[in-house]
Amino acid sequence: MVDVSALGDAILKGERAALARAITLAESRRADHREQARALIQHLLPQTGKAIRVGITGVPGVGKSTTIDALGTYLTGLGHKVAVLAVDPSSSRSGGSILGDKTRMARLAVDPKAYIRPSPSSGTLGGVAAKTRETMLLCEAAGFDVILVETVGVGQSETAVADLTDFFLVLMLPNAGDELQGIKKGIIELADMIAVNKADGEGATAARAAAAQYQAALHILAPTSMIWSTPVVTISGLTGAGLDMLWAKIEEHRSRFEAKGLIAERRRRQDVKWMWAMLEDRLQARLRHDPALKARIPALEAAVGAGEMAPTAAADEIARALGL
Ligand SMILES: Nc1nc2c(ncn2[C@@H]2O[C@H](COP(=O)(O)OP(=O)(O)O)[C@@H](O)[C@H]2O)c(=O)[nH]1
Ligand SMILES: [Mg+2]
């Protein structure tokens, strides 16, 4: 049994081992561990929420890890404490997470002011994102004031990460011709900023051309906001060029939105979404794991499928079994 208040105090003091232990509890498959993690997070809740939460996405190879390493190092140099988390719903299948190779984050991995945590490996995107959200809160309690959440463009993971963060950064490759084809309208709408990476050496000219094209595409696709129009910048994660400008933009967004209370509003909206997402996850888990239901559902499904039972009647029976 974990002493929640002792563990909480150790986290608030910034003890790494305590933070790692708490995150392990939150990620555990055991219900009693997760219950303890929840109690701990509830206990620490007043000390959370003070970080800038930034989501970062882009196709594999665009340079997310390289950029996070450079950006994170730049930020710890400014005195920030930086936590790097990941949402990678494929990690349980592939056996490795997108943060698995710390070689791409060689500087940050040994930086005492940074903390890198790979994606939890669990079945559902909802489950992975919920755990990452708890990890984020624990990192905030431990004093990390910048949270970078990396995700790859698979399924709905971008939406999940946008729902975790205050600012959503989309990295793009310079060869815009192909890339523009691949732009999903939804991603552009989620983006608070687009950064064309690899704007160095031979790639610099192509990156600038791509940025101009994305800028034009944004005029057509992006929703207009009174206080923010999605900037398009060029960066090099490799050389670090443009990362100071990129961070300045993120801070500008932060101060503009904060002044109007819009960061707090975005987070409250996210919290309500999370409440429902977690409830749906638990209902789904009940549906899948309740022994009586598990035994009964195939027969109900078959009966409805064969036209022998009305869908309403079957839904009623399942709802009754769930106590609804
Ligand atoms: N020239 C150049 N190469 C880069 C840059 N950023 C990343 N790369 C290279 O692109 C490849 C993929 O980078 P990585 O950070 O692993 O991409 P990720 O899959 O998005 O995390 C690696 O070979 C990097 O060295 C950059 O800014 N400029
Ligand atoms: Mg990577």
Side-chain angles (χ1 to χ4, degrees):
M1 190 60 204
V2 176
D3 182 342
V4 164
S5 110
L7 187 56
D9 288 345
I11 289 169
L12 291 175
K13 277 191 225 138
E15 288 175 21
R16 284 303 169 93
L19 176 62
R21 181 145 178 249
I23 294 172
T24 303
L25 283 178
E27 290 181 351
S28 172
R29 285 177 202 281
R30 277 177 51 177
D32 59 327
H33 285 170
R34 286 204 304 274
E35 196 48 56
Q36 288 162 17
R38 261 184 226 128
L40 180 64
I41 288 163
Q42 191 62 38
H43 175 74
L44 292 171
L45 213 53
Q47 331 299 333
T48 66
K50 294 183 188 98
I52 299 193
R53 304 166 176 174
V54 180
I56 300 175
T57 195
V59 295
V62 71
K64 294 179 296 298
S65 304
T66 307
T67 300
I68 288 171
D69 191 46
L71 178 65
T73 305
Y74 169 69
L75 293 174
T76 61
L78 293 179
H80 291 289
K81 278 182 76 182
V82 179
V84 180
L85 314 178
V87 170
D88 179 8
S90 68
S91 68
S92 55
R93 259 174 290 135
S94 62
S97 133
I98 44 177
L99 287 179
D101 72 318
K102 283 197 182 175
T103 52
R104 290 252 190 272
M105 288 191 260
R107 282 175 293 173
L108 219 48
V110 296
D111 190 329
K113 295 178 81 177
Y115 183 72
I116 300 177
R117 185 81 184 184
S119 177
S121 52
S122 131
T124 67
L125 170 62
V128 171
K131 286 171 185 180
T132 302
R133 182 175 165 277
E134 293 186 330
T135 297
M136 178 171 79
L137 296 174
L138 291 166
C139 288
E140 287 180 342
F144 290 91
D145 64 340
V146 176
I147 313 278
L148 305 177
V149 187
E150 176 182 355
T151 192
V152 288
V154 289
Q156 295 297 307
S157 65
E158 284 115 337
T159 314
V161 170
D163 282 341
L164 280 174
T165 50
D166 305 322
F167 190 96
F168 197 61
L169 170 64
V170 178
L171 299 188
M172 294 286 188
L173 288 166
N175 52 331
D178 299 332
E179 270 295 297
L180 269 178
Q181 314 291 324
I183 283 192
K184 290 175 272 177
K185 185 165 182 275
I187 299 304
I188 296 289
E189 280 168 350
L190 288 176
D192 294 300
M193 174 158 60
I194 291 176
V196 181
N197 191 35
K198 309 198 183 186
D200 47 49
E202 308 261 284
T205 313
R208 274 196 301 276
Q213 289 189 44
Y214 289 125
Q215 194 75 72
L218 275 171
H219 282 303
I220 302 164
L221 293 173
T224 49
S225 150
M226 295 293 277
I227 57 169
W228 191 255
S229 53
T230 308
V232 182
V233 299
T234 58
I235 60 166
S236 168
L238 203 61
T239 68
L243 293 180
D244 50 351
M245 289 280 293
L246 176 131
W247 187 252
K249 285 281 177 204
I250 293 175
E251 285 197 315
E252 184 187 333
H253 177 277
R254 163 96 164 183
S255 59
R256 279 202 216 171
F257 278 64
E258 211 159 46
K260 296 205 182 295
L262 293 173
I263 297 284
E265 191 191 302
R266 179 162 168 164
R267 288 182 177 183
R268 280 196 301 270
R269 258 199 329 266
Q270 290 172 340
D271 283 348
V272 172
K273 263 180 114 165
W274 276 106
M275 177 187 83
W276 286 112
M278 282 187 270
L279 189 64
E280 278 165 24
D281 241 45
R282 279 157 87 159
L283 282 173
Q284 286 286 348
R286 272 282 300 284
L287 272 174
R288 278 196 307 271
H289 301 306
D290 184 280
L293 272 173
K294 237 165 91 175
R296 180 72 182 129
I297 281 174
L300 289 173
E301 241 179 19
V304 172
E308 290 157 7
M309 191 179 191
T312 328
D316 276 348
E317 188 181 328
I318 295 169
R320 264 198 310 279
L322 288 171
L324 300 174

